[in-house]
Amino acid sequence: MKKVALMATVIALALAFATVPVDVQARTTFVTIGTGGITGVYYPTGGAIAKMVNAKRKTYGIRATVESTGGSVFNVNAVMSGDLEFGVVQSDRQYQAIKGMAEWEGKPQKDLRAVFSIHPESVTLCATVDSGIMDIKDLTGKRVNIGNPGSGQRQNSIDALETNGINWEKDINAEQVKAAEAPGLLQDGRIDAFFYTVGHPSGAFKEATAGATKVRFVSISNVDSLLKKYPYYAKSFVPVDQYPGAKNDKDVPTFGVKATFVTSAKVPADVVYAITKEVFDNFDKFKKLHPAYAVLTKEGMLEGLSAPIHEGAMKYFKEVGLK
């Protein structure tokens, strides 16, 4: 009788388990996407990707979350250490990390992997009208936020300044705070100008141009010389029609990079494949999630990638004929 009862219990448990949905039975894989400040485009970009993947949680068994971080350098280091599975990183920082340059001098990040690139980003300089700053060359002696350590924009600011003969440590009063804090400092009169590398339109610049203090976007000179020295940059401009409060009557010339989505070689191929597939299979929906994505093409999202493409992403690209 005991054997019969035991067998009946086993069968009952088996039948009960069989009625549990497969997605509940499967172990959920948790991934975190490192972004940037909440007023930039990185944060909503990470949120858009996470939302698309989480909508298919029953299919893939992946639960994605988004973390606001200090930006590109932080994200590369966190992905490499395993604290993040994915990160949004400027294309110049991806180039430097894989090559062992800048913060990674002599230490190439060999496990860094590219997934895809996203929107273009412009190195944008904004100043108060009262400061009299019309061009980057006018920054000497001014109070300027160049970006926090650990952000990609900080090096962009320094590159732009040095190309124009300005030493950021000696010739300006440099602040090094996060981009999200800069519009408030500008409006309060505590800085004269700030740099921010970001896709447009940007919440930070909407805030900066909507206050009582009148501001303008400032041109960056000698872009051609800068491009010769740094091959990962490209010409760009600030679309001033996106910011009706700015005291500009035409687009402002500058240079820029691309935002890229990166991971580690150690992240499983099926996870990277699933995320890549969701973004590209729902490409039209993805483009509508933020105005900065309007110029995206599928082919363009494979440009600006210096690190090797992760095998999971490559599998998808080959399936659909993009590689």
Side-chain angles (χ1 to χ4, degrees), residues 37-45 90 119-125 152-153 156 179 194-206 217 236-239 243 254-259 290 292:
I38 58 174
T39 60
V41 184
Y42 282 14
Y43 190 76
T45 293
Q90 288 180 196
H119 56 278
E121 300 186 298
S122 296
V123 179
T124 308
L125 178 58
Q153 66 172 40
N156 303 152
F194 72 92
F195 288 92
Y196 191 13
T197 303
V198 70
H200 292 287
S202 156
F205 286 114
K206 285 186 178 294
F217 292 104
S236 185
F237 65 90
V238 180
Y243 307 99
T254 181
F255 64 101
V257 293
K258 271 196 168 188
H290 196 282

Side-chain angles (χ1 to χ4, degrees), residues 32-64:
T32 303
I33 301 169
T35 58
I38 58 174
T39 60
V41 184
Y42 282 14
Y43 190 76
T45 293
I49 294 170
K51 183 178 180 180
M52 297 173 81
V53 174
N54 290 339
K56 291 286 190 71
R57 185 175 176 182
K58 292 182 178 180
T59 302
Y60 299 119
I62 299 172
R63 179 75 170 90

